Amino acid sequence: MPTQTLRPPFRADVVGSYLRPVELHQARKDAAQGRISAAQLKSVEDKTITELVRKQKQAGLRVITDGEFRRSWWHLDFMWGLNGVHKQQLTQGYRFADMETRAETAQISGQISGENHPFVEHFRFLLSLAGDDTVPRMTLPAPAQTFKEFCRPDNSTTTNAYYPDQQVLIRDLTAAYQNVIRELYAAGCRNLQLDDCTWGMMVDARYNNSGIAEDKQPGHSGCDCHPGQHTVISDDLKALTELLLSINNAALVGAPEDMVLTTHVCRGNYRSTWAASGGYQAVAEPLLGRENVSAYYLEFDTERAGDFSPLAYTSGDKKVVLGLISSKNGELEDKQTIINRIHEATRYLPLERLCLSTQCGFASTEEGNILTEAQQWAKIALVTEIAREVWSD
């Protein structure tokens, strides 16, 4: 077990996913086509994760992840691991700015529960590599993200068939998360990050979430999950934020006090493109003020994320990890420009409550973003270099 004096977030931190090496890409392809067994694929995963952890430690990071190397998606694989949920092919994927994703989803097939989730074993392997000088982190899609997936238009009929009462769906979903959290804790997990695109989508006026446009893009609309209809929440952003906030917080009820719970807010990250734009102002009070986490990993690498003023809503002693280094391209940011932006953020939150990371992971899906592994590690090196210069602790 890593020493408890190491408490995330760290001044130089990471969001979670890394570019998959060629060997792993080939093994996943071979497994999908039946050329190698599941056991052989796991062997390659174990090998490449072990090497990834070595590189993370070598880079000076105090937190390690498995790079999400055992997943195809940052979110769907977790959903497929819940009881009562299965993988489903669709005719249309999520629409991003410049492309459309693979057309897959997680669809309800029975009562949802969280016992014996495969991610628990994934964490145990990561923990075995941690040692005493690093904290192993598990990343999961936020409960609100899973709720939204079940309620996307392609899934509404199936969801309504199994869960005609929205409150029963929320009850079972949050109970499933509570169970997974308990099992992860029992396995040794003390740092859990909830990845959440729902807030990043709500601030974009092009989507139904904001009540301004009726775009009906898959995966981005509100949902009331009542039988026989799929009524999107298009005129009450406040009601939607309160609903999603309540789902996230309910799932964290009973979480152990010594488990560090954080969240990462994203506007989409698929093969270096994005899905949404808009500052945090419209959701800052519920998100930064009332979500029951101790730190926020927030995207701030482009003007699409708005300015720093919403940070003023960050309650208590919560921390904010500024995602100022882009994971979407290989161009290295100017160090002084990033340092200046960190100090600009101190107008709204003290420096001791700020940290630095890339704005997202390098491979939210197995395809990965469009940069090289060398560029990926150069980005990490820049994060650690700037952190040493800005903070003394």
Side-chain angles (χ1 to χ4, degrees):
M1 178 73 63
T3 175
Q4 293 305 298
T5 60
L6 294 176
R7 185 175 176 84
F10 301 110
R11 298 306 185 191
D13 216 302
V14 295
V15 171
S17 64
Y18 288 87
L19 296 172
R20 277 59 157 178
V22 173
E23 180 182 8
L24 180 56
H25 278 298
Q26 186 61 52
R28 291 186 68 87
K29 182 179 179 181
D30 289 344
Q33 296 178 358
R35 292 195 291 266
I36 64 172
S37 67
Q40 289 172 308
L41 172 60
K42 182 181 181 300
S43 178
V44 176
E45 290 171 343
D46 289 351
K47 174 186 174 184
T48 53
I49 290 169
T50 300
E51 177 62 13
L52 173 67
V53 169
R54 185 191 68 78
K55 290 180 178 179
Q56 289 175 86
K57 291 181 177 182
Q58 186 178 50
L61 294 172
R62 302 175 76 186
V63 65
I64 58 169
T65 77
D66 64 4
E68 301 178 4
F69 278 13
R70 301 189 198 274
R71 310 183 203 180
S72 178
W73 299 82
W74 64 276
H75 60 327
L76 294 180
D77 292 71
F78 172 81
M79 300 174 199
W80 297 330
L82 294 171
N83 301 307
V85 179
H86 72 282
K87 181 178 181 179
Q88 180 65 41
Q89 296 292 324
L90 298 175
T91 58
Q92 187 178 65
Y94 305 110
R95 294 175 185 170
F96 275 59
D98 300 315
M99 65 182 66
E100 183 178 311
T101 70
R102 282 179 284 127
E104 296 176 341
T105 187
Q107 201 167 84
I108 296 174
S109 56
Q111 184 176 5
I112 299 167
S113 66
E115 294 84 3
N116 302 312
H117 197 285
F119 278 26
V120 176
E121 285 304 314
H122 298 176
F123 179 80
R124 286 195 178 99
F125 182 79
L126 179 65
L127 178 63
S128 73
L129 303 174
D132 294 328
D133 56 347
T134 57
V135 174
R137 173 177 298 158
M138 174 56 73
T139 61
L140 305 180
Q145 189 76 46
T146 301
F147 173 78
K148 292 292 292 296
E149 188 68 28
F150 294 155
C151 295
R152 62 189 287 185
D154 299 290
N155 290 335
S156 60
T157 299
T158 303
T159 297
N160 289 334
Y162 285 99
Y163 284 99
D165 186 332
Q166 182 193 81
Q167 292 307 311
V168 177
L169 170 61
I170 293 172
R171 181 200 66 191
D172 285 358
L173 176 62
T174 56
Y177 267 85
Q178 290 170 1
N179 195 91
V180 173
I181 290 170
R182 284 194 298 270
E183 292 190 7
L184 283 170
Y185 185 84
C189 180
R190 299 296 182 268
N191 183 200
L192 182 65
Q193 175 182 300
L194 301 174
D195 295 323
D196 200 345
C197 285
T198 63
W199 303 99
M201 302 308 300
M202 281 189 286
V203 299
D204 193 319
R206 294 174 300 164
Y207 300 115
N208 296 328
N209 296 332
S210 64
I212 298 174
E214 291 280 338
D215 206 39
K216 296 191 185 301
Q217 295 199 32
H220 302 321
S221 60
C223 175
D224 68 0
C225 290
H226 288 294
Q229 63 178 358
H230 185 85
T231 305
V232 296
I233 302 173
S234 59
D235 60 355
D236 195 347
L237 176 61
K238 182 178 179 180
L240 182 58
T241 61
E242 293 299 325
L243 174 64
L244 299 183
L245 176 68
S246 70
I247 292 171
N248 283 343
N249 283 344
L252 300 180
V253 170
E257 290 187 4
D258 61 337
M259 176 181 268
V260 178
L261 302 169
T262 67
T263 191
H264 166 239
V265 178
C266 182
R267 289 163 178 75
N269 187 45
Y270 182 77
R271 299 185 67 185
S272 293
T273 190
W274 51 271
S277 295
Y280 295 94
Q281 194 68 37
V283 298
E285 188 277 326
L287 172 64
L288 302 178
R290 292 187 282 122
E291 186 157 343
N292 293 333
V293 294
S294 61
Y296 302 88
Y297 291 74
L298 301 181
E299 174 183 319
F300 277 114
D301 62 320
T302 71
E303 67 281 355
R304 289 188 301 103
D307 63 21
F308 294 125
S309 61
L311 298 183
Y313 286 94
T314 311
S315 60
D317 60 355
K318 296 176 180 178
K319 293 184 178 180
V320 169
V321 184
L322 301 173
L324 293 170
I325 307 296
S326 176
S327 67
K328 294 183 185 296
N329 62 70
E331 182 179 354
L332 209 57
E333 287 80 357
D334 176 70
K335 183 172 75 169
Q336 190 58 50
T337 298
I338 300 301
I339 291 174
N340 292 345
R341 293 204 68 198
I342 293 171
H343 289 295
E344 180 186 346
T346 64
R347 295 173 55 193
Y348 307 100
L349 211 60
L351 185 63
E352 61 266 23
R353 291 173 60 191
L354 296 173
C355 303
L356 178 66
S357 74
T358 55
Q359 114 284 345
C360 196
F362 292 96
S364 296
T365 68
E366 62 184 320
E367 290 87 350
N369 286 341
I370 304 172
L371 71 165
T372 66
E373 286 195 46
Q375 290 171 326
Q376 168 185 267
W377 292 110
K379 295 272 186 171
I380 295 294
L382 181 60
V383 169
T384 58
E385 180 182 350
I386 291 173
R388 284 194 298 268
E389 188 164 329
V390 172
W391 291 278
S392 58
D393 54 345

